[in-house]
Amino acid sequence: MTSVTVSHLGKDFHTRKGLRRTTLRAVDDVSFELLPGRTVALVGESGSGKSTIARMLAKLESTTRGSIDVRLEDGTPVVGSMYRRHVQMVFQDPFASLNPFHSIEHHIARPLQLHHRARGAEETAAKVRELLGRVNLDEDFASRRPHELSGGQRQRVAIARALAPGAQVLVADEPVSMLDVSIRLSVLNLMGRLQREDHLAVLYITHDLATARHFSDEILVLYRGRVVERGPSDDVILNPQHDYTRLLAEAAPDPERTDRRVTSGPALDRSTIDNTTCYDHSVGEWVSSEPAPVGAR
């Protein structure tokens, strides 16, 4: 079993226009812990830094500040190729994450071979069938191409591919946002079952408060790259304290709410929302922190 400790994580992007160079702070001072069998949800609007954090965890982006410490149960650090095996990502778009020129068997067999999880064609084929079965797909799907599958089936293949190297940490970047509403719950339930069976540590990224509450144990609300509220899922969703969390809750569709608003009084002005303070439900108080200076590491 593998755990992840993220400490004071930060990411800056540098842009240049002519002789002028500017710095975009995408993520600033984000800390959390991923433990086996538990799910942490990152919630926020587009551009809040959720996917940047996911890409840093998956080593697709380098960090500007802070650290990502991945360790086995006995305390052994997970580094190098071992990190690639233990930390895997499920991408948002199941239509773009699979190569249309290759069969489903190829997509799942490739990580098995690269990470030496199977030897020989017969053992590889058997493990491909086993992984397909774990995500509730028949073995005849192995010979199909991605264009022959529905969105939900493609995402199940993507999950099987992520599990193929023996992943213990799953980074799910909005895995159901592009799927039909009717199949979102089944995919989330599938991930929940796999998590229980393999004791996976899961980082679930979403802008949907309802699925975050359903699927996660802890929620971190991100606004402009910083955590503004955190705590157990029910506490954050049912008793939001930060203005931005209330704004997200108000924006969520509710068939039973017609004219009634979550917040009382005038509508919130986004320009006045403060992201330098965070309400931590686990301690029941506000925590303040100063943004890191530009160029800090």
Side-chain angles (χ1 to χ4, degrees), residues 1-293:
M1 293 186 287
T2 306
S3 62
V4 181
T5 302
V6 175
S7 301
H8 306 292
L9 194 64
K11 177 65 179 179
D12 295 342
F13 292 100
H14 302 290
T15 60
R16 186 186 295 274
K17 186 176 182 180
L19 297 177
R20 184 179 179 183
R21 180 170 176 169
T22 59
T23 299
L24 171 65
R25 176 142 303 164
V27 177
D28 189 22
D29 197 29
V30 173
S31 301
F32 58 88
E33 193 172 20
L34 298 177
L35 299 175
R38 292 183 62 83
T39 299
V40 173
L42 294 181
V43 177
E45 63 189 359
S46 298
S48 60
K50 307 185 303 297
S51 293
T52 302
I53 293 172
R55 293 177 65 83
M56 286 191 285
L57 274 173
K59 297 294 188 184
L60 299 177
E61 291 280 0
S62 61
T63 62
T64 305
R65 294 172 302 282
S67 63
I68 300 172
D69 185 28
V70 182
R71 293 182 180 270
L72 300 179
E73 191 174 14
D74 61 2
T76 303
V78 176
V79 295
S81 60
M82 189 179 180
Y83 189 103
R84 296 287 185 186
R85 290 198 303 272
H86 280 253
V87 182
Q88 287 288 314
M89 190 165 177
V90 177
F91 294 93
Q92 177 180 4
D93 186 358
F95 300 92
S97 62
L98 300 178
N99 191 324
F101 294 101
H102 292 298
S103 68
I104 301 305
E105 181 175 23
H106 174 89
H107 284 89
I108 301 176
R110 185 66 173 161
L112 288 171
Q113 296 163 347
L114 287 174
H115 295 283
H116 309 291
R117 300 279 294 179
R119 295 182 178 180
E122 186 175 337
E123 184 180 358
T124 300
K127 289 203 171 185
V128 168
R129 291 193 298 269
E130 177 187 347
L131 285 165
L132 286 174
R134 294 198 65 194
V135 296
N136 300 330
L137 293 176
D138 295 333
E139 61 181 53
D140 60 357
F141 278 86
S143 60
R144 300 187 189 181
R145 295 290 194 274
H147 72 271
E148 299 178 89
L149 275 60
S150 67
Q153 291 168 340
R154 293 186 194 198
Q155 200 63 300
R156 290 171 187 270
V157 171
I159 293 171
R161 179 179 60 182
L163 294 177
Q168 291 295 299
V169 179
L170 206 60
V171 180
D173 187 5
E174 301 201 40
V176 297
S177 65
M178 298 191 67
L179 304 181
D180 292 341
V181 175
S182 59
I183 60 175
R184 289 180 183 180
L185 185 59
S186 65
V187 172
L188 287 177
N189 286 338
L190 168 66
M191 292 179 62
R193 174 174 62 79
L194 294 171
Q195 181 188 45
R196 292 189 297 272
E197 292 175 355
D198 293 352
H199 302 287
L200 300 175
V202 178
L203 179 66
Y204 176 57
I205 294 170
T206 183
H207 58 266
D208 186 348
L209 294 178
T211 60
R213 182 187 176 194
H214 167 78
F215 186 57
S216 63
D217 301 290
E218 181 183 2
I219 291 178
L220 277 67
V221 181
L222 283 174
Y223 179 60
R224 293 183 179 178
R226 295 173 66 85
V227 178
V228 296
E229 189 160 352
R230 66 189 305 159
S233 300
D234 284 347
D235 291 345
V236 173
I237 300 301
L238 299 179
N239 186 29
Q241 297 296 310
H242 197 278
D243 286 344
Y244 180 67
T245 312
R246 292 177 181 149
L247 192 65
L248 288 179
E250 184 176 318
D254 185 350
E256 297 182 358
R257 189 179 78 224
T258 53
D259 298 327
R260 181 173 59 86
R261 299 174 65 242
V262 172
T263 56
S264 59
L268 290 170
D269 181 1
R270 292 175 63 90
S271 64
T272 65
I273 297 177
D274 180 21
N275 73 336
T276 63
T277 59
C278 169
Y279 189 85
D280 190 340
H281 286 266
S282 62
V283 296
E285 62 183 35
W286 291 92
V287 180
S288 177
S289 61
E290 292 298 324

